[in-house]
């Protein structure tokens, strides 16, 4: 179906931070499959895990215990501070699980029509519930009626959320991204998540964090909330968890971890041996190679280089970053830069109309990180002149 505005390049192979098209032209990948291939392409540990598991067993269903799933759940809980995990196949499915968990939690408390506070500019997925939770009218248009039960608040504004809670006894949870990725790499004020944690504790709400894009080392911690030394009640993960193998996870701790019981939720493919083996290899590599620290150092290097090379250009509004989530906000729409960069052998993304989003692999070398900045400088000058 005609659902994607695809570029006119097809890739046939990848290695590390580089992709190669069918004519063997090389492209520096500063997008990582939209924050998915954080270990780069064809990573040997992930490749080995997939091949070995595919030769043994790919799928049995969740009717039976799955050893790799148990190992992955143990690893995720150890790294995150959570107690239990539900495995799905994507970020949208992980967020669907979180939304269902919050609603069931509300009903168990005697609230007939539970509400979840969500943020303006948010993106949580394209299923009906996650689409309804998303704060983007453009992608919602045409799919009405949207699901009820979501109350919208401005991002990075704790007072507004507190006001909503004071006037709405049906609120049971907050669903929020630690950094709004699709919304333009919007980084909240320091302490934002800590203040939300305090508010949720005061009001008896669940704090649910969508870490589909920020998680698995992208911001310099395995999960972004660890920067503030807090624990959410629920956190969702996907994207980089499988480095390209589809897998999603909804993690919970405390009372939230006990909400789901057999029959409340499920998945045919979720947490199968193949996907879990890939995810285990990803997490082991990130730990063994200290890639969270690497993401922080690389992100700082790229942002500083961008500031030095393009920071004073009149068309650049702001350069910001959180680990390896990096944004260059321009004073005009710049969607055409994606194709121009592709012609020059560089893969970037534009979101929110005027924000260049850079999501390079956590494994990108210093030289390739410098080359990324070197390639962007003339591209932006040419674009501005045109």
């Amino acid at each position: 179906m005609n659902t994607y505005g695809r570029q006119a390049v097809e890739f046939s192979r990848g290695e590390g931070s580089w992709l190669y098209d069918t004519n063997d032209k090389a492209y520096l990948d500063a997008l990582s499959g939209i924050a998915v291939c954080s270990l780069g392409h064809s990573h040997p540990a992930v490749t080995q895990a997939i091949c070995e598991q595919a030769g043994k067993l790919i799928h049995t269903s969740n009717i039976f215990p799955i050893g790799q799933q148990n190992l992955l759940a143990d690893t995720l809980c150890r790294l995150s501070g959570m107690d239990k995990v539900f495995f799905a196949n994507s970020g949208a499915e992980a967020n669907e699980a979180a939304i269902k968990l919050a609603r069931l939690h509300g009903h168990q408390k005697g609230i007939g029509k539970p509400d979840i506070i969500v943020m303006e500019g948010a993106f949580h997925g394209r299923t009906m519930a996650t689409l309804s939770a998303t704060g983007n009218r453009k992608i919602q248009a045409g799919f009405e009626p949207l699901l009820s039960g979501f109350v919208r608040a401005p991002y990075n504004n704790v007072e507004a959320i507190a006001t909503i809670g004071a006037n709405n006894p049906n609120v049971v949870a907050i669903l929020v991204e630690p950094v709004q990725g699709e919304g333009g790499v919007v980084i909240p004020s320091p302490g934002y998540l800590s203040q939300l944690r305090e508010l949720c504790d005061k009001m008896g709400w669940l704090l649910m964090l969508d870490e589909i894009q920020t998680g698995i080392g992208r911001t310099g911690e395995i999960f972004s909330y660890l920067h503030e030394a807090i624990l959410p009640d629920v956190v969702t993960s996907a994207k980089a968890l499988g480095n390209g193998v589809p897998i999603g996870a909804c993690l919970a701790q405390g009372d939230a971890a006990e909400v789901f019981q057999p029959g409340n939720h499920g998945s045919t493919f979720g947490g199968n041996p193949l996907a879990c083996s890939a995810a285990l290899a990803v997490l082991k590599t990130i730990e063994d190679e200290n890639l969270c620290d690497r993401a922080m150092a690389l992100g700082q290097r790229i942002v500083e280089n961008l500031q030095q090379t393009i920071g004073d250009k009149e068309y650049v509004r702001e350069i910001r970053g959180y680990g390896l989530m990096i944004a260059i906000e321009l004073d005009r729409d710049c969607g055409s830069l994606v194709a121009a960069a592709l012609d020059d052998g560089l893969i970037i993304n534009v979101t929110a109309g005027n924000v260049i989003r850079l999501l390079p692999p956590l494994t990108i070398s210093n030289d390739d990180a410098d080359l990324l900045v070197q390639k962007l400088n003339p591209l932006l000058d040419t674009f501005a002149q045109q």
Side-chain angles (χ1 to χ4, degrees), residues 152-216:
R152 211 161 302 282
Y155 189 64
N156 196 27
N157 188 330
V158 179
E159 290 183 2
I161 295 173
T163 299
I164 291 171
N167 294 284
N168 186 341
N170 292 327
V171 172
V172 296
I174 296 173
L175 176 61
V176 61
E177 299 158 281
V179 176
Q180 290 191 334
E182 301 298 323
V185 189
V186 181
I187 304 168
S189 304
Y192 178 58
L193 297 184
S194 299
Q195 293 175 56
L196 291 180
R197 177 71 277 174
E198 292 175 6
L199 179 61
C200 286
D201 289 341
K202 176 183 177 182
M203 302 297 294
W205 301 339
L206 299 180
L207 176 60
M208 307 198 302
L209 300 184
D210 177 345
E211 292 238 26
I212 306 303
Q213 190 166 147
T214 55
I216 317 301

